[in-house]
Amino acid sequence: MTSTNTTRALVLGGGGITGIGWEVGVLAGLLNKGVDLRDADTVIGTSAGSFVGANYTSGADWEALFADQARAAEHEPVMRTDPAVYQRWAEAFRSGAGNPEAVGAGFGHVARSHGAQTDAETRRAVVRARLRTTEWPVNLRVAVTEADTGRLHLLSPDSAVSIETATAASGAVPGIWPTVHFDGREWIDAGMVSAANATLAAGHDRIVVLAPMYEGHAGIPSAQDDVSRLNQTARALLVVPDEASREAFGPNPYDPARAHAAAEAGRRQGRAIAAEVQALWT
């Protein structure tokens, strides 16, 4: 029996197309062992995690979605981080000096000045292929970053923004995918400063965080740092890729040919940690 007074949150971090595959796999492995986190009061998705969260909370057929990871290359172009863009990312971290909004604004500048590797119509096709719903699940929140100010926002069903637009914005990696415009503002990937944004789950009693990318950068806390803070007032568990999963990712998180291997590794990891997750969740 679970207490009706206990609130639960599932946090799904960013990590490119391999991160999507891994998170789909971990959640599949948990479901295989009877651990279902879809009863979370809140599911918070950032970048890759926003797509996984939208599908998970919508009741999508998870085994079918898992199988689809083997066909990711049919609708996902191979994207790569240009060395010049990577250098600009590093400059955004350095110039922001550990201030999340300053770093975010730096990434916004990169997005506007460098442009994207593909056009908006291609991006829309990718987003639509990733999603299994056009409706906002009531418990889903999607993290986005305002390009001008670097401020982090959480979108919800009350935000008057479609789930397609919200997830496209959450995953709009500067220099790779196009920025997204709504509400008179320009928006970029919410995972550039903190890939998981785990502290957004503060206030819940039980928290599970899946973080394909978990390291901190230039004064920005790591996912472990964030979860340590959460554990001061809650019970939080951080799940990061194990060695086999990291090997499955390969060197490029935007390579759809790696999504299936990442999903397979994630499923094995999900099965292995199921008892630990269940113990925390209940």
Side-chain angles (χ1 to χ4, degrees):
M1 294 289 291
T2 61
S3 170
T4 57
N5 295 322
T6 300
T7 59
R8 294 167 176 79
L10 171 63
V11 177
L12 300 167
I17 189 62
T18 56
I20 289 177
W22 179 76
E23 290 181 349
V24 167
V26 171
L27 294 171
L30 292 173
L31 286 169
N32 291 161
K33 292 293 187 178
V35 182
D36 190 339
L37 308 183
R38 287 175 290 198
D39 62 348
D41 296 276
T42 309
V43 175
I44 299 170
T46 293
S47 196
S50 71
F51 294 98
V52 178
N55 291 331
Y56 193 57
T57 53
S58 71
D61 182 331
W62 213 248
E63 281 303 311
L65 188 63
F66 180 89
D68 283 348
Q69 303 310 301
R71 295 182 289 275
E74 295 177 7
H75 56 80
E76 294 268 352
V78 179
M79 312 300 283
R80 293 181 175 86
T81 305
D82 184 287
V85 172
Y86 192 83
Q87 180 62 32
R88 298 288 299 280
W89 290 359
E91 291 172 3
F93 276 116
R94 286 196 297 269
S95 63
N99 181 315
E101 290 186 359
V103 174
F107 277 109
H109 179 69
V110 174
R112 289 190 299 272
S113 62
H114 198 279
Q117 294 181 20
T118 189
D119 58 82
E121 186 54 42
T122 298
R123 176 57 168 166
R124 280 193 291 271
V126 168
V127 169
R128 289 168 183 165
R130 288 180 181 180
L131 291 173
R132 299 297 182 272
T133 182
T134 59
E135 302 295 327
W136 265 97
V138 295
N139 59 340
L140 178 66
R141 303 294 181 265
V142 171
V144 294
T145 296
E146 188 177 351
D148 285 336
T149 65
R151 292 174 186 157
L152 190 66
H153 295 249
L154 267 184
L155 302 180
S156 73
D158 299 325
S159 299
V161 176
S162 73
I163 191 65
E164 179 182 315
T165 298
T167 52
S170 187
V173 182
I176 294 182
W177 297 114
T179 61
V180 175
H181 296 259
F182 61 85
D183 197 24
R185 288 172 282 181
E186 192 170 11
W187 304 87
I188 61 170
D189 193 311
M192 301 308 297
V193 176
S194 171
N197 291 308
T199 55
L200 293 175
H204 293 80
D205 301 305
R206 310 284 177 85
I207 304 163
V208 172
V209 179
L210 304 189
M213 293 181 175
Y214 50 90
E215 296 178 342
H217 298 280
I220 301 298
S222 66
Q224 183 58 65
D225 293 331
D226 285 346
V227 168
S228 294
R229 288 177 58 191
L230 290 171
N231 271 318
Q232 294 175 15
T233 57
R235 290 180 57 195
L237 174 66
L238 174 63
V239 181
V240 303
D242 59 15
E243 184 176 354
S245 294
R246 294 193 300 272
E247 183 176 345
F249 289 173
N252 179 12
Y254 309 110
D255 182 358
R258 291 279 189 166
H260 183 237
E264 291 283 4
R267 170 134 70 180
R268 290 191 293 270
Q269 191 173 353
R271 289 169 174 166
I273 64 171
E276 183 179 11
V277 174
Q278 181 73 6
L280 178 137
W281 201 248
T282 58

